[in-house]
Amino acid sequence: MNLRTIERSDRVPRHEHRVRRFSRDYELLTELGDRYAVERGEAEALVRSVTERFGVPMPDLAFNRRRRPDTGECWPPRSVIVETNSEDRIVAWEAQRRRTIPEHGQIRLGHTTMLRTIAHELGHHLVHHLEPKRTPAHGKVWVGRLDDAMEAIARRCEAQV
């Protein structure tokens, strides 16, 4: 694993108040997750490792060179989107855009991504697959899954730090 030290930003991540309050290991998020970044190939290996550890399907991954290291996006699995919006609306959306919503969800990252960002998006992915369909996107349950993902990432990276 080729960890790259990244300069900390003065930006406070969204939802930080909730993460600080409910995280089991906030120090791990800030000391490892905010300090190190990985390139596209290592990010893919980390996502694969975490999804295998928790027995959830691997999401589609999309990487964009222009995305900042501290930002990502997670699309829910198609079944979650259909359940919350209706099959007809989703079929119409897919037809209009000439693309389908990924069956197992999608995580979008930059070519260089901070470990915390990967854990954040994996937290969403774990919630989508392991929790009830309408679990809040950035609630206490998500913070627990963020912690789960960061702990798995830390185990995989600990020899490098």
Side-chain angles (χ1 to χ4, degrees), residues 91-101:
V91 168
W93 185 93
E94 289 173 328
Q96 180 183 9
R97 286 168 181 77
R98 295 187 183 134
R99 61 184 270 200
T100 59
I101 295 171

Side-chain angles (χ1 to χ4, degrees), residues 1 38-52 58-63 107 109-113 115 118 122 153 156:
M1 183 85 27
V38 293
E39 299 299 320
R40 177 183 176 157
E42 284 108 0
E44 188 170 346
L46 286 172
V47 171
R48 186 173 312 286
S49 172
V50 173
T51 56
E52 286 174 358
M58 177 79 174
D60 286 1
L61 294 175
F63 295 91
I107 292 179
L109 302 168
H111 278 239
T112 300
T113 306
L115 295 179
I118 296 169
L122 277 167
I153 288 170
R156 174 102 191 225

